[in-house]
Amino acid sequence: MRALLIVLLLLAVPATAQVTIHGTVRDSLTGKPLPFASVFLLNTTYGVTADQQGAYVLPGIQRGRYDVSASYLGYRLRQRPLLVADATSLTLNFGLLPAPAPLGEVVVRPVNRLADYQLFLRLFLGTSSFAQLCRVRDPGDIRVIFDPDRRRLTARATRPVQVDNGALGYRLTYYDLDFRADITDETVTILTVSRVAFQSLPPLNADGQRRWEANRQKAYRGSYLHFLRSAYAGQLAEEGFLLQRLQRRPNRRRAATDSLVRRWQAAGRNHGSLPDSVWRLLGQSKVLSLVYKPRLPLDSVRTATAGRVWLRFRDLLAVTYENARPDPNFHAPGAITGHPLPSHQESILQLRPPPAVELAPNAVPVAPLSLVTEGYWSFEKMAELLPLDYFPPE
């Protein structure tokens, strides 16, 4: 079974220029300032509180594409996209709409089936060693529904959901959580549309802080974030990434076997009497993956012109990170439980649609849904998620 992951989250690369974002937060109907409103960059640890006049200043922002949000008690969260380019100062004002008044004082909390909620946690947080150290602070705010006929799981929340990541030392706040997973015999496709903000947790002691720092570096090495930064900088091989062309073709032997089984059943014969050779073929995937051995050179997948960078390739891109082994809990799709771990972290990247996607100055794909990941990058989920302002030590 293949796992595909589409996550609408931003990534960043280092940049020398820094920008100050400033502005005001007001009631969009009356124009009155909203004192002490919160303003923050989504997917980062950057955030400030406005002053009594609703004015805020966010200094030291690196070049790139961001989503800036403002919130205030009793008002709707407002989000605005922003491209931080060559300017040294940008003005961004917010007008917030009052939130609808609740009807009565009765709060109806969702009741989830335990099996559905546990499946959501496995798909959302993951099953890695780090996922075991994550805790949803108020699970009762999440409504989980699994449709067995369509094989689809959805999870939504009307209030912000907080997750404490005890492995990396962050508290993640998800605004308007919208999680969907389509599960078939061959793939698990996950779409997460979330606005998430990071807050660093206070360590209990110096040893705890050192452990968080070590885990963050471990989560970063070979990650999708690491790959995109390396691709933008043109340093994929130097950073330990091996690229190969990958094609998928229908498994003709499996298709012929399926046809044989249908004829067998149409003739009224016992399904259990199928020969052992047929059962072995039924265990094969319906699609064959062919990896071409030659290492792809950088200029075959990356184009840079006049300060703009594109990822450009057809078929699929097999990405191997050679400098680290997979998490002990990782099992490759189709692998038998108990077999040794692969020696490297192996992922797959697909362009939708091909053949190219532009990367913004902070390595964010300009078209958010243009890149789909499989393999090890799909195994790494929210438990390994780092804020876009994280950079490992030199």
Side-chain angles (χ1 to χ4, degrees):
M1 179 181 291
R2 301 196 310 274
L4 298 87
L5 184 62
I6 309 172
V7 184
L8 274 63
L9 299 173
L10 304 183
L11 310 173
V13 293
T16 55
Q18 293 187 345
V19 179
T20 296
I21 305 172
H22 57 86
T24 58
V25 185
R26 298 178 180 274
D27 185 306
S28 62
L29 301 180
T30 66
K32 293 182 178 180
L34 298 178
F36 312 117
S38 296
V39 181
F40 49 92
L41 300 186
L42 291 174
N43 307 299
T44 77
T45 60
Y46 289 122
V48 294
T49 300
D51 63 19
Q52 197 164 1
Q53 303 304 317
Y56 74 92
V57 178
L58 267 172
I61 307 303
Q62 305 285 351
R63 291 193 313 123
R65 176 185 166 215
Y66 298 93
D67 283 320
V68 190
S69 290
S71 65
Y72 194 77
L73 185 63
Y75 286 76
R76 295 180 183 272
L77 182 78
R78 179 77 186 279
Q79 175 182 330
R80 296 185 62 181
L82 183 66
L83 180 61
V84 178
D86 297 328
T88 58
S89 180
L90 292 172
T91 300
L92 191 64
N93 297 320
F94 288 90
L96 305 188
L97 283 171
L103 300 176
E105 297 297 329
V106 178
V107 177
V108 180
R109 297 172 66 85
V111 178
N112 300 312
R113 292 181 64 248
L114 180 59
D116 294 347
Y117 182 74
Q118 291 176 339
L119 176 59
F120 161 71
L121 289 182
R122 291 196 298 272
L123 295 173
F124 182 63
L125 298 177
T127 58
S128 67
S129 303
F130 289 168
Q132 299 172 15
L133 299 176
C134 293
R135 180 176 67 91
V136 178
R137 291 177 60 85
D138 198 347
D141 289 338
I142 305 174
R143 175 58 170 153
V144 181
I145 299 176
F146 179 66
D147 184 341
D149 296 327
R150 301 174 66 188
R151 300 287 293 168
R152 171 175 294 177
L153 182 140
T154 60
R156 294 185 175 90
T158 56
R159 295 194 295 183
V161 175
Q162 291 187 328
V163 176
D164 283 353
N165 188 332
L168 302 183
Y170 294 114
R171 174 169 295 165
L172 288 71
T173 302
Y174 293 88
Y175 298 90
D176 302 324
L177 176 69
D178 184 359
F179 179 90
R180 285 165 278 171
D182 292 315
I183 306 169
T184 69
D185 293 338
E186 294 291 329
T187 62
V188 177
T189 303
I190 297 173
L191 175 63
T192 308
V193 182
S194 300
R195 295 181 285 187
V196 58
F198 287 79
Q199 177 185 356
S200 296
L201 293 173
L204 295 178
N205 49 49
D207 288 340
Q209 183 64 43
R210 284 192 291 268
R211 183 170 60 252
W212 283 345
E213 291 294 341
N215 286 345
R216 291 170 187 177
Q217 293 180 49
K218 182 178 179 180
Y220 178 78
R221 291 196 299 271
S223 66
Y224 185 52
L225 166 60
H226 185 192
F227 171 82
L228 286 183
R229 286 179 175 173
S230 303
Y232 188 86
Q235 299 290 320
L236 284 168
E238 293 82 352
E239 290 295 319
F241 291 99
L242 165 66
L243 309 182
Q244 294 170 287
R245 180 188 175 196
L246 185 149
Q247 282 187 322
R248 287 205 174 106
R249 299 176 182 175
N251 186 343
R252 295 181 179 179
R253 297 185 65 186
R254 170 63 192 271
T257 303
D258 289 341
S259 177
L260 171 64
V261 171
R262 287 193 294 268
R263 293 196 303 270
W264 191 282
Q265 293 174 331
R269 305 179 70 174
N270 186 357
H271 190 262
S273 62
L274 287 168
D276 291 341
S277 59
V278 174
W279 283 109
R280 285 194 294 270
L281 289 173
L282 287 175
Q284 294 182 3
S285 173
K286 295 181 180 180
V287 178
L288 296 177
S289 296
L290 306 177
V291 179
Y292 293 80
K293 284 189 176 181
R295 178 192 294 261
L296 292 175
L298 179 66
D299 58 7
S300 69
V301 299
R302 176 186 181 272
T303 303
T305 305
R308 300 172 67 182
V309 176
W310 289 265
L311 284 177
R312 188 184 303 273
F313 57 90
R314 295 188 181 273
D315 298 323
L316 302 172
L317 192 64
V319 182
T320 301
Y321 183 64
E322 301 180 296
N323 294 343
R325 291 180 60 86
D327 183 277
N329 292 340
F330 173 72
H331 294 287
I336 301 175
T337 303
H339 275 209
L341 283 174
S343 57
H344 306 300
Q345 299 175 8
E346 301 171 349
S347 304
I348 298 173
L349 193 62
Q350 181 179 0
L351 279 173
R352 290 187 176 179
V357 58
E358 183 177 0
L359 299 181
N362 60 346
V364 179
V366 173
L369 293 178
S370 58
L371 291 176
V372 181
T373 65
E374 301 178 38
Y376 195 75
W377 285 337
S378 292
F379 168 77
E380 293 182 319
K381 295 185 172 63
M382 297 306 163
E384 283 73 33
L385 188 64
L386 290 163
L388 61 81
D389 54 310
Y390 170 78
F391 297 98
E394 293 294 339

